[in-house]
């Protein structure tokens, strides 16, 4: 039997609420885009809690943050846990933050229990898991896993034209981007606690999900150039309306996703920007950002091909110019059997029910898998709702996850 | 034979170019939204030219500007001319401005020729012909024609929530909005010079269009409330994607417009705003602004009804909530035979070819028609292009229009 963690769920809940109030929008709406003033305030708040717990904090050149609880054997590679604290516009208080503040409470609960780890335990805040600012998800872990190279990272900019280099420097992160990549063996194992962002655990009344694989996301950007003009004077036959073309592509993606017949295929157009965007002006330019995911990479790529075919068809039929850019199309990650077994034993010990499942959402663990064995631990979230202000996980659900995470860390680091 | 106007087309062209450079965007892009800093600078520039020409300038409570060349008989109602100087985002240099600066040059050309009008001639700048800021076109003339009541005007605000009252006060326009409405008889007649914003005159090689009727525009705002969520984790069957619903409506409007079989029916979705607008988030809210026009009001209303039917169908089928607001649905205006005859005689005298035609775009004359006999004089514009930076009218076309406008004003006021 491992150490019995001594949780203080009230403190954790108060910290989650305090972090949720650090937002670019009015609470309960959480908007915390990477390198915004709110993101920097949130980082300062969480680093303060790390210091209170006696953890030694280091930051890398892109702002990934490592808080170390030193183990008794300094020669051994640490066990890692953690997640992200950035949030898309109009988000809630639990996505990512449960893995960071819950990871902290797991460490503190072991400290309270008098446990001493043999391996160090490192709690990580990953920079920009959300793609809001730079259009690419998991910026920090992608660079840690050498999936995004420094030169490609330097080419990134936000929609206002601010480059990554200027933004990270203004945010106070220095050093070469080359130094962000982790050497193999830097972490012995890595485990991430996260809300499910889906409905299954709650529907089935199961306490915890043991994630065996993380689905493979792909993002295609589509730019449609048509021809503008006066909405009253320009006749219909000569029109090259970029928004009408975009509408066809939005529906073509939906149809392609549904045509796979697989419940695990999902596709979304989340961004549709119209230029010039005036009621009496024919749209001359539309920018779409699409997101297609599946646990089966080939099926996902089939949807992307169908969307590309629709682009070619619409372009020819409507006389508009359509260019596409595949921003990312990552391979799925398999989780580590040893960590899964440790989580399962810990759950049994804590009296929690579990279910093995796949993660349809991607997470930083997808990229940490390139440099370390990983696994994820899911807790339920109400109605499967996420990326919305009414995102919610109950104190019981969170306490169950933190308890099992703490026991798992004790096993892995003990 | 009337007075032979003495035009200085080079001065007029330089003034049009100077006005085009007063923009919120980088020239040659013209963006001059009402009550913006650029709009106020443009007003100051044009009022300076009015003063140089010896015209007495007055402004009403909403910023409509009246520059008066006093006639010999102060008892007679003046003849009016003019247009607007505001511009939608990403517009060009000729829409509206040709009617204001061309109207000024018409007056100056008569002054140079030694002409003295019996009736005063008043040159008008109408406030906010473009609907960009308040979502409703012809704000100034609509209020002058008592089509928009002061209480309804006070309820208007821009998309940032700034109310009309605060904006007009900050722009320096005082007095009660009730004072904006014109009394019948305030103008004896009104004639507006404008670019065609369509291709017909250029295609047919005709110098001038005599506008016999102005088409009836209607604008329907559509708000679609779906359900947001994580783009990876939320499965397709449970989705209520507001953007997919919007895509169906965009295509439904296009189909309804084309189904009339009439070349004069046009319909456009110019605004499509997506919330929250993140690549990995299912759109929970979409706002569309649509514009439908026809010279036949019943046919136009048929398209609006088809769009409303599509809203009901999509709402039921996709489980989204759709609300619509008919922002305006104005009746068409017929132009005055006496002014048309005066323009035709003037054109013959000037050696210009003419064609009687309808205006598919709406103009301030549509609302001036409520309080005075009106007509419009169209000049060609290249390729029918308008509301774009490459909007263009040649010096010859503009000179022809100003010449015939001057002769017409001399006839009407002489």
């Amino acid at each position: 039997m491992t150490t019995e963690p001594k949780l203080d769920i009230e403190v954790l809940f108060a910290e989650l609420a305090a972090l949720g109030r650090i937002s670019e929008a009015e609470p309960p709406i959480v908007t915390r885009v990477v390198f915004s003033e709110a993101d920097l305030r949130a980082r300062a708040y969480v680093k303060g809690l790390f210091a209170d717990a006696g953890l030694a904090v280091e930051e890398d050149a892109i702002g990934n943050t490592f808080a170390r609880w030193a183990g008794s054997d300094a020669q051994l590679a640490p066990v890692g846990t953690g997640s992200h604290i950035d949030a898309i516009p109009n988000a809630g208080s639990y996505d990512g933050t449960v893995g960071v503040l819950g990871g902290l409470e797991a460490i503190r609960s072991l400290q309270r229990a008098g446990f001493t780890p043999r391996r160090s335990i490192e709690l990580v805040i990953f920079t920009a898991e959300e793609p809001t600012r730079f259009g690419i998800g998991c910026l920090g872990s992608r660079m840690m896993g050498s999936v995004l190279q420094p030169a490609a990272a330097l080419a990134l900019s936000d929609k206002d034209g601010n480059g990554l280099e200027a933004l990270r420097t203004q945010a106070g992160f220095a050093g070469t981007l080359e130094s962000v990549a982790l050497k193999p063996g830097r972490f012995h194992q890595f485990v991430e606690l996260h809300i499910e962002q889906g409905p299954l655990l709650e529907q089935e009344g199961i306490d915890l999900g043991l994630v065996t694989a993380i689905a493979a996301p792909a993002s295609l950007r589509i730019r449609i150039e048509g021809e503008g003009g006066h909405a009253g004077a320009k006749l219909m036959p000569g029109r090259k309306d970029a928004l009408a073309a975009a509408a066809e592509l939005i529906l073509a993606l939906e149809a392609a996703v549904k045509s796979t017949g697989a419940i695990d295929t999902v596709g979304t157009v989340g961004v549709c920007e119209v230029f010039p965007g005036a009621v009496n002006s024919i749209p001359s330019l539309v920018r779409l950002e699409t997101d297609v995911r599946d646990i089966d990479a080939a099926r996902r790529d089939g949807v992307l091909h169908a969307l590309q075919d629709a682009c070619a068809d619409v372009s020819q039929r409507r006389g508009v110019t359509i260019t596409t850019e595949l921003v990312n199309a990552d391979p799925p990650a398999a989780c580590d059997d040893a960590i899964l077994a440790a989580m399962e034993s810990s759950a049994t010990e804590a009296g929690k029910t579990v279910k093995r499942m796949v993660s349809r959402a991607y997470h930083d663990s997808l990229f940490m898998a390139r440099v370390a064995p990983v696994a994820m631990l899911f807790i339920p979230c109400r109605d499967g709702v996420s990326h919305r202000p009414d995102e919610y996980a109950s104190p019981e659900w969170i306490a169950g996850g933190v308890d099992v995470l703490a026991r798992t860390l004790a096993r892995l680091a003990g």
Side-chain angles (χ1 to χ4, degrees), chain A:
Chain A
M1 170 133 181
T2 55
T3 306
E4 185 84 15
K6 295 195 189 305
L7 262 64
D8 189 338
I9 194 69
E10 281 183 26
V11 163
L12 171 56
F13 236 69
E15 290 168 351
L16 280 166
L19 181 53
R21 285 190 295 269
I22 304 178
S23 170
E24 299 167 51
E26 199 63 36
I29 298 170
V30 180
T31 298
R32 209 159 46 221
V33 176
V34 66
F35 300 151
S36 67
E37 184 269 342
D39 177 45
L40 299 183
R41 264 195 298 143
R43 288 167 179 265
Y45 170 68
V46 176
K47 285 188 287 182
L49 299 179
F50 291 170
D52 292 346
L55 309 183
V57 175
E58 288 186 9
E59 293 167 332
D60 72 11
I62 197 68
N64 292 313
T65 302
F66 305 83
R68 188 178 183 97
W69 182 23
S72 57
D73 188 342
Q75 303 304 311
L76 297 176
V79 170
T81 190
S83 192
H84 65 97
I85 60 169
D86 67 320
I88 67 164
N90 203 46
S93 290
Y94 301 91
D95 174 11
T97 56
V98 162
V100 173
L101 294 179
L104 174 62
E105 180 55 23
I107 288 173
R108 290 185 305 210
S109 73
L110 293 173
Q111 292 174 334
R112 287 185 204 110
F115 175 77
T116 307
R118 196 161 65 91
R119 293 183 183 274
S120 298
I121 296 176
E122 274 192 40
L123 178 54
V124 185
I125 306 174
F126 295 98
T127 287
E129 194 260 358
E130 302 292 359
T132 310
R133 184 146 209 171
F134 298 111
I136 185 169
C138 297
L139 176 66
S141 56
R142 212 178 265 274
M143 296 186 71
M144 288 162 84
S146 297
V147 177
L148 179 69
Q149 300 305 319
L154 286 173
L156 295 174
S157 60
D158 66 14
K159 67 175 177 181
D160 297 327
N162 303 302
L164 176 82
E165 181 62 17
L167 288 168
R168 68 136 186 160
T169 309
Q170 283 158 23
F173 301 115
T176 69
L177 290 184
E178 280 73 13
S179 63
V180 175
L182 297 185
K183 293 187 179 64
R186 167 69 176 81
F187 281 96
H188 179 62
Q189 286 160 320
F190 184 85
V191 56
E192 180 173 4
L193 176 67
H194 208 282
I195 59 170
E196 181 194 348
Q197 303 186 291
L200 302 181
L201 291 173
E202 185 189 29
Q203 279 172 8
E204 300 174 24
I206 292 171
D207 299 321
L208 295 165
L210 308 182
V211 175
T212 57
I214 305 170
S219 177
L220 190 73
R221 282 190 192 153
I222 303 176
R223 183 186 160 91
I224 306 159
E225 282 181 88
E227 208 171 272
H230 190 288
K234 191 156 183 177
L235 303 180
M236 299 304 285
R239 290 197 179 191
K240 296 176 182 177
D241 183 325
L243 183 58
E248 286 203 53
L249 296 180
I250 292 164
L251 296 173
L253 174 61
E254 187 184 49
V257 167
K258 289 185 172 174
S259 76
T260 71
I263 192 68
D264 291 318
T265 320
V266 291
T268 309
V269 182
V271 174
C272 174
E273 290 176 353
V274 179
F275 185 83
V279 64
N280 57 352
S281 198
I282 300 165
S284 59
L285 176 68
V286 171
R287 246 177 35 77
L288 300 179
E289 292 187 17
T290 68
D291 180 301
V292 183
R293 306 187 194 196
D294 207 312
I295 54 169
D296 181 319
R299 205 164 52 199
R300 178 200 70 187
D301 292 345
V303 172
L304 287 175
H305 290 144
L307 181 56
Q308 296 270 20
D309 288 348
C311 287
D313 168 52
V314 168
S315 168
Q316 190 178 21
R317 197 155 30 75
R318 290 187 176 266
V320 297
T321 303
I322 302 182
T323 51
T324 63
E325 178 196 358
L326 189 63
V327 181
N328 56 278
D330 301 302
C335 292
D336 181 63
D337 285 335
I339 307 176
L340 286 165
M343 292 197 297
E344 188 145 22
S345 303
S346 299
T348 304
E349 202 176 80
K352 300 294 175 187
T353 54
V354 301
K355 166 195 170 83
R356 296 200 171 214
M357 62 192 303
V358 299
S359 169
R360 288 199 189 79
Y362 65 80
H363 299 283
D364 291 302
S365 293
L366 182 65
F367 298 99
M368 284 301 280
R370 301 302 185 95
V371 286
V374 304
M376 294 189 70
L377 183 61
F378 274 178
I379 61 171
C381 62
R382 187 177 58 194
D383 297 333
V385 164
S386 185
H387 281 190
R388 280 178 17 196
D390 56 339
E391 177 184 87
Y392 178 75
S394 74
E396 293 72 38
W397 292 339
I398 294 175
V402 173
D403 186 0
V404 172
L405 175 65
R407 292 172 194 267
T408 302
L409 292 174
R411 276 173 202 272
L412 300 178

